[in-house]
Amino acid sequence: MITADIAIVGNGVLALSTAFELTRRDDSLSVAVIGPKDLEGGATPASGAMLNCFAEVTKYTLASDASRAKFDMCRDSLPLWPEWLDRVCEVSGHDRPHTVSGTVVIENAVSGVLDSENFDAMLDAAAKYGETHELVGPRGIGGLDPTPTARPLRALFLPAEGAVDSGAVYEALRAALVVRGVRFVDQPVGALVREDDRVTGAMLADGSRVAAGTVMVAAGAFTTPLLDTVLGPHDVQPVFSGTGIAAVTHRSGAEQFGHVVRTVNRAGSCGLHAVPFSGGRDYIGATNVVFATPRTRPSAGLSHFLLQCAIDQLNNDFAFAQIDEWRVGNRPVTLDTFPLLGPGPMDGLHIATGTYRDGFHNSPLIARIMADGILGGAQPYEHPFRPDRRPISVFTAAESAGETAYQGACTGFEASLVLPRLWRHEAVPALFASGAVRMYEDLDSSHGLSPDIVPFLVAGAFSEDGPDRDAYLRVKSLLADRGASSGLETVR
């Protein structure tokens, strides 16, 4: 049996960052980080690691207290990165990871009007918070050469944002933890261990055990089955898998981007983006489809859609680029799409997951939040995302169904939906509305869910069996038992 003061279940960026912060504060701690070294299906190795905050803004970002709190975390995390990288590299002895300075956000007419709404919201937010930004001429963006019908209408340059090499950061963190004596346990966890009303360790796949005074679960999209071994199904809302794929390509002589180049966030909480890597490579991402359980292999349909978007909207020469690798990762998406951070509903248990698109960006701050909760902090970071809260609702059911239909129409237009010439485009959302409306009738709930989640739940609502059906029934039971909270005032 392995013993430790703190066992961290999961070995992605949040797990390693928290271990780094814990051992920085107290070098006498014994810490074990548990999880397969290959990180198959994890979000960290698949990420392009954009350090974006204002580039992520949508028309809903500032519309509720909960969304503003999440946005504030992104704002507070961005300036932490230079010192964070210096600390990690000083301990590990690694060179500073490759970084990309500046992000260019484009608006084109390929998708629906949602793009324009989100671009306007991004401009408003940058002005409101005094963020340095500049509207630039789209034709002057280096490396951008889309098809004429996908040329940008507007472009915004955000000099304070950018990207960092996620793989290099991860390897530097791992090396730093080895220097600090952290033990890595290269095995899957089969279950958490509960003794009376306290979590006391983790049971490994081979039947051996890690015993610890404190257990932190940072297992991303793999979290819920682990929590189910010690908690009831309604104690913590479920975490689903926002599966995304990306391609790392090598250009064939075309001019490389000088900055991160991306669209605004679109339907499904994802925007097309390209991150220039060293050596003439580009990271092209990304997609987001929510499933009940993680996926580990790229699908043909999403791969085709991603490459078509990159070729048409970013650079025609991507058609001739060599694909060095496909990356598949699963973002941890909670039922309400907000994170789960802090002490769990049982002694000895702490949870860090549900970060959706912000986990890597927010990792230095989340490491502080979790270390504060485990060790105590003089001035703990205030946030409303305790793991045992009721799901937060920032939509009514009617608003959620309407926005889901609207975003479905926008996705259809981006995927080359062609209407009969006698139809008006305003009628298209009605084609996507019926499933969401029928689902809410079945849920019998007035609390709306994020449009990112609804299509997945609609599939589960009307399937006969399988993981999606099981997930839907769990959500239905949870909402009937605990409901959803709108206690964080909604401003709409």
Side-chain angles (χ1 to χ4, degrees):
M1 183 172 67
I2 299 169
T3 61
D5 296 319
I6 301 168
I8 300 178
V9 178
N11 59 340
V13 70
L14 294 189
L16 269 59
S17 296
T18 303
F20 184 79
E21 181 67 12
L22 288 167
T23 54
R24 184 188 72 83
R25 296 189 188 188
D26 184 350
D27 61 9
S28 70
L29 287 172
S30 60
V31 178
V33 174
I34 313 169
K37 189 175 181 179
D38 63 14
L39 293 170
E40 185 180 32
T44 296
S47 68
M50 291 187 294
L51 303 182
N52 282 179
C53 177
F54 286 89
E56 291 281 319
V57 167
T58 73
K59 62 181 181 177
Y60 292 116
T61 299
L62 303 181
S64 70
D65 285 349
S67 297
R68 284 192 294 271
K70 186 178 179 183
F71 177 64
D72 286 343
M73 289 183 65
C74 290
R75 289 182 62 230
D76 292 340
S77 294
L78 187 59
L80 300 179
W81 272 95
E83 183 180 357
W84 179 254
L85 290 177
D86 288 343
R87 285 178 176 175
V88 172
C89 292
E90 180 181 3
V91 176
S92 67
H94 283 213
D95 293 335
R96 218 165 190 273
H98 172 73
T99 57
V100 180
S101 297
T103 292
V104 177
V105 187
I106 60 175
E107 174 205 359
N108 60 33
V110 174
S111 187
V113 180
L114 178 66
D115 279 29
S116 299
E117 294 172 338
N118 288 344
F119 196 96
D120 289 341
M122 182 178 56
L123 282 174
D124 291 344
K128 177 179 180 179
Y129 287 92
E131 179 71 7
T132 302
H133 63 286
E134 178 187 2
L135 282 168
V136 297
R139 295 177 66 181
I141 299 170
L144 185 66
D145 185 20
T147 60
T149 54
R151 64 190 186 277
L153 307 174
R154 293 185 288 180
L156 183 71
F157 180 54
L158 296 163
E161 305 193 4
V164 64
D165 185 332
S166 61
V169 172
Y170 184 83
E171 290 304 322
L173 273 168
R174 191 176 177 97
L177 295 180
V178 170
V179 171
R180 288 191 170 164
V182 170
R183 180 166 185 173
F184 286 89
V185 182
D186 183 15
Q187 278 204 58
V189 172
L192 303 181
V193 177
R194 172 179 176 173
E195 297 180 7
D196 297 324
D197 291 326
R198 185 177 185 86
V199 176
T200 59
M203 191 69 66
L204 304 181
D206 67 358
S208 61
R209 177 180 168 185
V210 178
T214 298
V215 175
M216 177 179 130
V217 176
F222 300 84
T223 293
T224 293
L226 294 173
L227 295 182
D228 284 348
T229 62
V230 292
L231 300 178
H234 300 166
D235 290 339
V236 174
Q237 62 181 287
V239 179
F240 305 120
S241 302
T243 302
I245 63 172
V248 178
T249 66
H250 196 284
R251 289 207 180 192
S252 57
E255 179 185 1
Q256 191 168 23
F257 295 121
H259 310 287
V260 173
V261 177
R262 57 167 295 170
T263 67
V264 293
N265 270 353
R266 289 172 165 165
S269 187
C270 199
L272 175 67
H273 55 270
V275 180
F277 281 5
S278 59
R281 297 175 303 142
D282 292 283
Y283 172 99
I284 301 173
T287 56
N288 185 60
V289 179
V290 178
F291 295 102
T293 56
R295 301 294 201 265
T296 59
R297 302 171 73 178
S299 66
L302 284 179
S303 302
H304 174 267
F305 178 69
L306 175 64
L307 293 179
Q308 181 181 32
C309 289
I311 293 166
D312 291 348
Q313 299 180 46
L314 296 177
N315 194 299
N316 286 177
D317 279 340
F318 279 142
F320 305 100
Q322 297 177 345
I323 298 177
D324 289 344
E325 61 175 307
W326 285 102
R327 296 186 181 183
V328 182
N330 295 273
R331 306 175 185 90
V333 189
T334 59
L335 176 61
D336 63 13
T337 71
F338 294 105
L340 305 173
L341 302 172
M346 184 175 292
D347 288 346
L349 176 65
H350 294 254
I351 301 170
T353 190
T355 49
Y356 205 174
R357 293 175 51 81
D358 305 324
F360 203 101
H361 174 96
N362 288 344
S363 56
L365 177 60
I366 291 174
R368 170 189 159 187
I369 290 171
M370 298 310 298
D372 285 346
I374 294 170
L375 301 179
Q379 293 182 314
Y381 187 90
E382 297 294 331
H383 66 86
F385 303 124
R386 283 183 60 97
D388 57 356
R389 69 175 188 274
R390 287 188 297 162
I392 298 167
S393 178
V394 298
F395 295 91
T396 66
E399 288 170 335
S400 171
E403 184 65 16
T404 300
Y406 176 50
Q407 292 195 16
C410 291
T411 299
F413 289 129
E414 188 180 11
S416 305
L417 174 68
V418 178
L419 301 177
R421 296 305 176 219
L422 298 178
W423 287 24
R424 293 183 58 83
H425 68 86
E426 292 90 348
V428 177
L431 302 176
F432 296 87
S434 61
V437 171
R438 289 172 59 205
M439 182 200 74
Y440 277 115
E441 290 174 348
D442 185 66
L443 283 176
D444 193 23
S445 173
S446 62
H447 295 284
L449 302 167
S450 168
D452 298 3
I453 290 288
V454 173
F456 147 68
L457 292 177
V458 168
F462 303 112
S463 60
E464 294 184 359
D465 52 32
D468 288 355
R469 179 64 178 174
D470 294 342
Y472 173 76
L473 293 176
R474 180 173 184 152
V475 168
K476 185 176 181 179
S477 175
L478 172 63
L479 292 179
D481 180 37
R482 299 191 65 189
S485 171
S486 57
L488 294 171
E489 181 187 0
T490 302
V491 182
R492 298 183 57 79

